[in-house]
Amino acid sequence: MTQVTERGTSLPTAPRAGGRRPSAAAACVLGGAVAAGLGLGCVAVLVIVLWISSPYPDSGPGGALHVAAGLWLLAHGTELIRYDTLSGVPAPVGITPLLLLGLPILLMRRAARLATDDGGGAGGAAPGPGGRSGGEVLSAGTVFAAVLCGYLAVGAGATVYAARGPVPADPLSAAWHVPLVAVVSAAAGVWAARGRPGAHWPSWVPRGVRRALARPRYALALRAGSAGALVLVGGGALLLAASLVWHGGEAQASFLSLTGVWSGRFAVLLVALALVPNAAVWGAAYALGPGFAVGTGATATPLGFAGSPAMPGFPLLAALPAEGSGSPLTWAVGGVPLVAGLVVGWFAVRRAREVSYAETALTAALGGLVCGLLLGALAALAGGPLGSRELADFGPVWWATGAAAAGWSVGLAVPVALVVHGWRERPVRGTRAARKDAGNWHDSGVRELRWATLRKAAGTLVPDFPSPWAPPPGPGASPKPLPGPGPGQGGRGAAPLPGGTLAGVRVVPLRGGPLPSSGAVPGAADLLPGAGTRPVVPLPVTPVTPVTPVTPVTGGSAQAPAPAPGAALPGEEDTGSLGAAGLSPGVVGARVMTRRVPPEAAE
């Protein structure tokens, strides 16, 4: 009993972890709700600022907040319904500003990524009092569902709140647009938090499909198609800028005629900036050929602007081309899809040398299809209705734009990819053929040939060393003398200098002048005959200090006689004299090195 009461009973950890799990899930739900609230709050602050600065507000702050909720839902692609019209017929507003669409996508993606990092989707733990709670781990699916629930809860509340305002949201449109944006953004955030795995697919995907999708061809096609779509949208933005400059007067007049107060003009400017990405997609569709609709009765294409356009007064619509048939200036926009096709073909070529031409062509074709799908999706988001009757259709037709982008990209990317593939393979084939003709690069004969070529190109900078593979000279053979400068070299007219050996060491003759008589090393003239005219700086000779006699200390009182100067000490062995070393007698001042020999070895 004492042990039980003092030490207590150990409980299993599984129930405790299960008891704390709802706190981590609640934190993920709260993260999703905060992401939706931040987006809604940003729009609300902007609307309230415009309402305060407006000299003629139509309603109170409650009406401004209802409009803010409707605009936040419009940013997800939800259609709004405007009941206050001149005809009394409700008019839908379905053009989603693509710049405003980026706000909920970024916030939701960030919330899902942070929740996955903190909640353990990547192997971590849920947040606790110290930043992380010990032992609690949430799966990526749980984090995804929790964040999604929090976001959709705020979206449902915003839909109900906006229904009582002047511009309510269509419930059916909000029921699938808001979840679609939230699901895609949350999935992107979880995928980024888990390290962007590209080859790990769920278990319910068939094995054959997983193996096929794991091939590098699809990742390369996705990159090539994305690059082509980016070039098309960028080209559309350039066309928009050029057209605004060309029609600058009309755009300025339209901007000034909408309102006369600075707060209203600021609101028009913000709306125009939010619709700039939409106009860039419209320009890309115009360059591809299908063009875009300006109302139900007019279509603008490079071949002409036919019909009766229903254009409301807006600065961006003032940049539309003139009515009538096309001109060489409008036909020149075909260079945008041409460049996009070249970019898709360039990015579709792998740098691996073992890729075949068929694989390269298939990758380029898939990249063109990806480009078409991306442009079709952007065209579907960039267009929509602005009202009823003539204003019911604005923007490009998504399926026609996607088909045109795919046709341009596939038709140009495949031949370009094949040409680039052949150009990159050409130097590889030439190198292989050269290696086959020259033999193995690491053979000894190839190394000698390389060394001889380098030595010949370097001239006299590299001495003529004997080859390490040459057989050793026989006994009694004299070394080959080194060549000296000829009579015509340097204008000296010196005779070739002989070479020789000194105690087994090759002597390299100096190509200088005669040694001076004073201060020169004795015997150097005998070693270096036939010198030229350039003086040589003599080397100083250090005299040898005589060895001080050492009196050995013995146990007795008798002292051994001191050795003579130059003689070997007791226990030492002379290594040889100058003559034994093969030195010339004229070379003096050399120190004779001695080594101590143990008495046992001497005996």
Side-chain angles (χ1 to χ4, degrees):
M1 291 296 294
T2 305
Q3 296 179 356
V4 173
T5 54
E6 290 181 356
R7 302 179 61 181
T9 307
S10 60
L11 298 178
T13 58
R16 295 177 62 186
R20 288 203 306 264
R21 183 173 297 275
S23 63
C28 295
V29 173
L30 181 61
V34 168
L38 286 176
L40 187 58
C42 291
V43 178
V45 168
L46 184 60
V47 172
I48 288 295
V49 169
L50 293 177
W51 174 78
I52 293 174
S53 60
S54 176
Y56 311 106
D58 294 337
S59 60
L65 293 178
H66 284 88
V67 172
L71 291 178
W72 182 76
L73 294 173
L74 179 65
H76 294 77
T78 304
E79 287 189 0
L80 303 181
I81 301 176
R82 186 166 55 90
Y83 291 99
D84 188 12
T85 59
L86 296 178
S87 61
V89 179
V93 178
I95 294 184
T96 301
L98 294 183
L99 190 62
L100 196 60
L101 176 61
L103 179 63
I105 290 178
L106 292 178
L107 291 175
M108 186 58 175
R109 180 185 179 275
R110 180 178 180 273
R113 180 176 57 83
L114 293 179
T116 304
D117 290 338
D118 295 336
R132 287 183 179 270
S133 62
E136 186 176 6
V137 176
L138 294 180
S139 64
T142 304
V143 174
F144 171 79
V147 175
L148 189 62
C149 288
Y151 194 91
L152 294 181
V154 177
T159 304
V160 175
Y161 183 78
R164 297 178 294 177
V167 189
D170 186 5
L172 296 179
S173 179
W176 70 274
H177 279 96
V178 176
L180 178 61
V181 174
V183 166
V184 174
S185 305
V190 173
W191 178 68
R194 292 178 62 88
R196 296 178 176 86
H200 301 284
W201 297 90
S203 57
W204 51 267
V205 178
R207 183 177 180 182
V209 176
R210 282 182 290 173
R211 294 182 60 183
L213 293 177
R215 296 177 179 176
R217 149 194 329 149
Y218 299 100
L220 200 62
L222 181 61
R223 185 187 67 172
S226 302
L230 185 62
V231 170
L232 285 174
V233 176
L238 290 178
L239 294 179
L240 172 66
S243 183
L244 283 176
V245 173
W246 188 268
H247 302 87
E250 293 86 345
Q252 182 180 6
S254 176
F255 178 75
L256 297 178
S257 63
L258 289 176
T259 178
V261 296
W262 69 269
S263 59
R265 292 177 179 176
F266 182 68
V268 173
L269 180 61
L270 290 179
V271 174
L273 290 178
L275 291 174
V276 164
N278 300 59
V281 177
W282 289 25
Y286 181 82
L288 287 170
F292 52 87
V294 188
T296 56
T299 303
T301 64
L303 300 179
F305 192 1
S308 55
M311 295 187 301
F314 197 71
L316 292 181
L317 294 179
L320 293 176
E323 300 182 15
S325 59
S327 62
L329 185 62
T330 60
W331 300 340
V333 300
V336 174
L338 179 64
V339 175
L342 296 178
V343 170
V344 173
W346 177 270
F347 279 94
V349 181
R350 293 175 57 188
R351 297 188 179 275
R353 300 175 180 177
E354 65 274 4
V355 180
S356 62
Y357 282 93
E359 179 71 16
T360 301
L362 180 59
T363 304
L366 291 176
L369 294 179
V370 170
C371 182
L373 291 176
L374 292 178
L375 258 295
L378 291 176
L381 293 174
L386 281 180
S388 58
R389 299 177 183 176
E390 291 83 2
L391 299 177
D393 189 10
F394 266 85
V397 182
W398 66 270
W399 60 267
T401 304
W408 277 94
S409 301
V410 174
L412 292 173
V414 173
V416 169
L418 293 178
V419 171
V420 173
H421 180 84
W423 176 71
R424 289 181 178 178
E425 284 289 323
R426 179 180 55 84
V428 176
R429 293 180 179 179
T431 304
R432 290 175 180 173
R435 289 182 180 179
K436 184 176 180 181
D437 296 339
N440 191 2
W441 180 259
H442 299 284
D443 288 345
S444 60
V446 179
R447 287 199 299 266
E448 293 179 2
L449 182 61
R450 288 203 315 269
W451 175 249
T453 305
L454 292 174
R455 184 179 57 200
K456 182 178 179 181
T460 58
L461 296 178
V462 181
D464 189 7
F465 293 117
S467 175
W469 296 275
S478 60
K480 182 179 179 180
L482 295 176
Q489 298 180 2
R492 297 190 182 103
L497 298 178
T501 58
L502 181 62
V505 181
R506 181 183 298 273
V507 177
V508 181
L510 300 178
R511 299 178 182 178
L515 296 175
S517 57
S518 62
V521 179
D526 300 334
L527 295 176
L528 303 174
T533 59
R534 189 175 60 182
V536 177
V537 179
L539 297 177
V541 178
T542 303
V544 180
T545 305
V547 180
T548 304
V550 179
T551 303
V553 180
T554 59
S557 58
Q559 296 183 357
L569 296 177
E572 295 183 348
E573 179 185 358
D574 193 356
T575 55
S577 61
L578 293 177
L583 299 177
S584 174
V587 179
V588 296
R591 185 185 300 273
V592 179
M593 302 301 297
T594 61
R595 60 186 179 88
R596 183 176 298 276
V597 181
E600 296 82 1
E603 294 177 358

